[in-house]
């Protein structure tokens, strides 16, 4: 299940991790996101409602959002949540456009 809020939380956690690990010598980062395969993935809101059915994509191609700008090292920590939400929304759009 692909959900914008869940995806944003996962992306933000990854950005925070990169910020904590530190990459020697790097001051700016180009961040992209993607799904290695689009099959067996469905768009949905994650909530407590039971699902009786789900529609799956037949397209097995990867879904990618290429970087369109760079982030500073400080932004990986301070701006991770905002950047993650934008990346998650872009990933959802890319997923919908390749269905």
């Amino acid at each position: 299940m692909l959900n914008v809020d869940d995806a944003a939380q996962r992306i933000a956690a990854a950005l925070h991790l990169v910020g904590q690990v530190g990459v020697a010598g790097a001051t700016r980062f180009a961040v992209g996101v993607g799904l290695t395969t689009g099959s067996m993935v469905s768009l949905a809101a994650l909530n407590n409602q039971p699902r009786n059915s789900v529609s799956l994509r037949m397209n097995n191609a990867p879904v990618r959002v290429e970087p369109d700008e760079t982030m500073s090292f400080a932004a990986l920590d301070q701006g991770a949540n905002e950047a993650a939400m934008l990346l998650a929304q872009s990933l959802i759009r890319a997923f919908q456009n390749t269905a």
Side-chain angles (χ1 to χ4, degrees):
M1 303 297 278
L2 183 58
N3 172 277
V4 71
D5 294 324
D6 181 59
Q9 288 176 353
R10 292 170 187 263
I11 293 167
L15 293 175
H16 285 296
L17 178 61
V18 171
Q20 291 172 356
V21 169
V23 180
T27 59
R28 308 253 345 141
F29 299 87
V31 179
V33 295
L35 300 171
T36 56
T37 179
S39 68
M40 302 300 291
V41 176
S42 176
L43 283 180
L46 295 177
N47 55 33
N48 295 329
Q49 299 300 320
R51 296 187 61 81
N52 296 328
S53 66
V54 65
S55 62
L56 297 174
R57 283 174 23 130
M58 292 297 144
N59 187 344
N60 193 33
V63 178
R64 294 187 177 105
V65 175
E66 302 292 334
D68 67 346
E69 61 184 61
T70 63
M71 295 175 65
S72 69
F73 188 76
L76 287 175
D77 184 37
Q78 298 165 353
N81 292 339
E82 181 181 341
M85 182 54 78
L86 293 173
L87 288 165
Q89 290 168 343
S90 295
L91 182 61
I92 299 288
R93 282 192 301 275
F95 180 82
Q96 290 171 324
N97 290 336
T98 59

